[in-house]
Each structure stands twice: as C-alpha cells, then as structure tokens.
Amino acid sequence: MSNQADTRQKSNMPRDTSFNADALVRDNVRRMKPYSSARDEFSGEADVFLDANENPYPSPFNRYPDPLQAAVKRALSPLKGVTPEQIFLGNGSDEAIDLLIRAFCEPNRDGIIITEPTYGMYAVCANVNAVRIVSITLDEHFDLDLSKFPSLNDPTLKIIFLCSPNNPSANLLNRARITQLLEEFQGLVVVDEAYIDFTAEPSFTSELSTYPNLVILQTFSKAWGLAGLRLGMCFASKDIIAILNKIKYPYNVNIRTQELALEALSNKDQKDRWVKEILKERARLIDALQGLAITLKIFPSEANFVLVRVSDAHGIYKQLMNLGIIVRDRSNVKLCDNCLRITVGTPRENDKLIEVLKQIRQ
Ligand SMILES: Cc1ncc(COP(=O)(O)O)c(C=O)c1O
C-alpha cells in the first residue's frame, strides 16, 4: 500500500459495500447455537423467579445480572451517538479484543495485523488463539506507514488492530491513513480509543455508518477512573456486535459493575473535570521534564501519559523504583530505546516525580 490517503479525494475512493460480517466470521461460530440463559429467555416483569437456580434469599447479589446490560447501553447510546445494538460491553476492552480474534480468526490459518510499538494484548490474544501476527513497525513519528503493509487482499488476514492515541507512544495515528485502511481492507479495522478522552480529535464512532468493517474500542479504565471495575466498550455494526454477544460468557458484566457504570454515566461532569485536571498536569509535567538534564526527547502526547527518551532508562527506572515511584520502562519495545512511559498523576505525585528526577545521578 502507499501513503496516498492524505491527497486522495474521498469521493473518488472505491468503496466495497459488499462487506458482510457473517461471511467473515469463523464457520463454527456462524453455525453454532449460543447458550441461552434463564435471563435471555425471560426478561419481563414478574414476582416469582424460579427459573435460574438462584438462592431466593436476598443477599445484594442473589440474582444474575442482565446478560446484555440494557440500562448501561441505554445511558451510553446518546453519549456515544450509537444505538444500543451497536454496543458490546465486556470485562475490560481486553475481553472485546479476545472475542474479536476468537470470532473471526481460524486458529492455525488466519492472521491479524498489528502496528508496533502498540498495546500488548492484541498479540497476546492472537498467540493464545494460535492466530498469526503480521507486525508492521510504525514510522519514526510512531505513525502508520502504509507502504509497509502487506497486500490487503490476503483472505486469511482478518483484523487490523490500530491504537489511537497509541500506547506507548501517546500520539494519534493519521486519520486519513486509518480511513484508507477502512476503505481497502476486506476484514475488520479495529481502532482502539482507550485514550480518546484525552485528545481533542473526534472519535471514529461518527464513521460507523460509513464503514461496516469498523470496530471501535473504548474503556471505563482511563478517563472514567474505573480500571478496577473492569468495563470495556466496543462499538460496531449491529451484525458484528451480535456475533460478539453470541460467543461471550452469558453474564460477563456483574451487577455491581453495571450499577457503578450507570452511576458514573449520570455524573459525566466528574469525568470531564478529571480529564481537564490531567491535561493541565500533563502540560506541567512535560514542561518540567523539558528542563531536565536526563531528558533527550519528549514525544507529543494526546493521552494521559508521556513517552520520554532519557539518557539511561533502565538506571533511572531503578532509582525511581528505589524511591517508591513506579514508571514503565519501555526500552525493550520497538522504536522505544531508552524510553520511559510516565502516567500523569495528581499534582502531588507529579511534583514528587519531578523533584526526584531533578536529583537523579546520571
Ligand atoms: C490501548 C489500550 N487498550 C486497552 C487497554 C485495556 O483496557 P481495559 O482496562 O478496558 O481492559 C489498555 C490498558 O492499558 C490500553 O492501553
């Protein structure tokens, strides 16, 4: 492929409108009958529930949760501009990553494309499921270089995983190049937007009606401050979402998680205030890092962390650790030699980090 998307007229692009999720899915998944839980078979109003072998005595959690999390999806739908049928919720977005691979990739035959350095779970889930990984290295700006991609006509390549803003580099991927992949790839293009709340760039959710092969991942683990709850979001066509629902565990999101997610969604201002504060601190942290002798390069950040190239990442990591400050040493990752990934903390945490870094011996 070539990097031609930047200059091409969108209206002239060839669109393959024949995308059909059911044709892409693994044969066994297409043919199988999903498990039907008691709560799937009856979801109306009743007084006496003797259908699910639950304990009738009222602990707060004696009943199974709603398998399809209807209330959470109803609250998310207007916020994200998608219908409830276009939403899958899982045990973190990691669950959606795993299910996408299991639904669409035939073990020992199919493959996925990842663009490294990137979030590690795409490769882990592929490896667990005996799915081939085609790894493309990002360019020196951690952006997509489409000329490095293999032919997109290989029918055994099922999913391209893109992460934007990217972890660990913190930058956005070029939107026109993502769009070109959506246009030209016959499989799924997954855009992982775990860090979307920390950038002014719009989400790809607005493109769902244009691209039937688009899948978007978001999470409650970052801006929403709920990493411990384990709740991830996946947005796609209703056909793709139906496939994920077909193979998920029946009760994959517990009652408490659904309740607390609803509570968080009813108080979106809190999330927005946190994001504002984190962005302010990100700017302050970058400013302080810029003045340090150990800093060689700070990569632009559109996320709640900063990737910094330093004089000796391993040594600095160890010195910080000895003082009780834990950052992520990413030196062993492609294109990231001598790089530390630093999450933006509270003002007090950032002050402490900066203070210590100022005194570090090189
Ligand atoms: C890019 C990216 N996607 C997904 C995740 C996982 O999110 P979740 O906590 O929803 O499983 C992370 C976590 O660090 C991430 O960086």
Side-chain angles (χ1 to χ4, degrees), residues 178-246:
I178 296 178
T179 304
Q180 190 177 339
L181 290 171
L182 281 162
E183 295 277 349
E184 296 182 8
F185 187 48
Q186 300 301 303
L188 301 181
V189 177
V190 177
V191 183
D192 186 340
E193 295 184 337
Y195 301 97
I196 194 70
D197 297 272
F198 303 104
T199 173
E201 180 82 2
S203 164
F204 264 84
T205 45
S206 56
E207 307 289 337
L208 278 172
S209 50
T210 311
Y211 300 108
N213 57 342
L214 171 61
V215 178
I216 296 145
L217 302 177
Q218 293 185 10
T219 180
F220 281 85
S221 297
K222 312 294 173 182
W224 291 93
L226 296 172
L229 275 194
R230 312 304 303 128
L231 188 60
M233 300 166 259
C234 174
F235 309 112
S237 71
K238 67 176 178 26
D239 293 349
I240 293 172
I241 296 300
I243 290 165
L244 299 183
N245 283 332
K246 185 176 181 184

Side-chain angles (χ1 to χ4, degrees), residues 292-337:
L292 298 176
I294 54 161
T295 302
L296 300 182
K297 187 176 171 72
I298 303 171
F299 295 91
S301 174
E302 302 276 341
N304 66 337
F305 57 88
V306 184
L307 190 73
V308 197
R309 177 159 291 131
V310 290
S311 44
D312 170 21
H314 194 56
I316 294 167
Y317 171 80
K318 273 173 75 178
Q319 289 192 57
L320 286 174
M321 191 177 65
N322 289 337
L323 294 164
I325 299 175
I326 313 301
V327 297
R328 197 89 199 262
D329 182 0
R330 298 280 74 188
S331 316
N332 293 330
V333 168
K334 266 186 196 167
L335 302 179
C336 293
D337 49 298

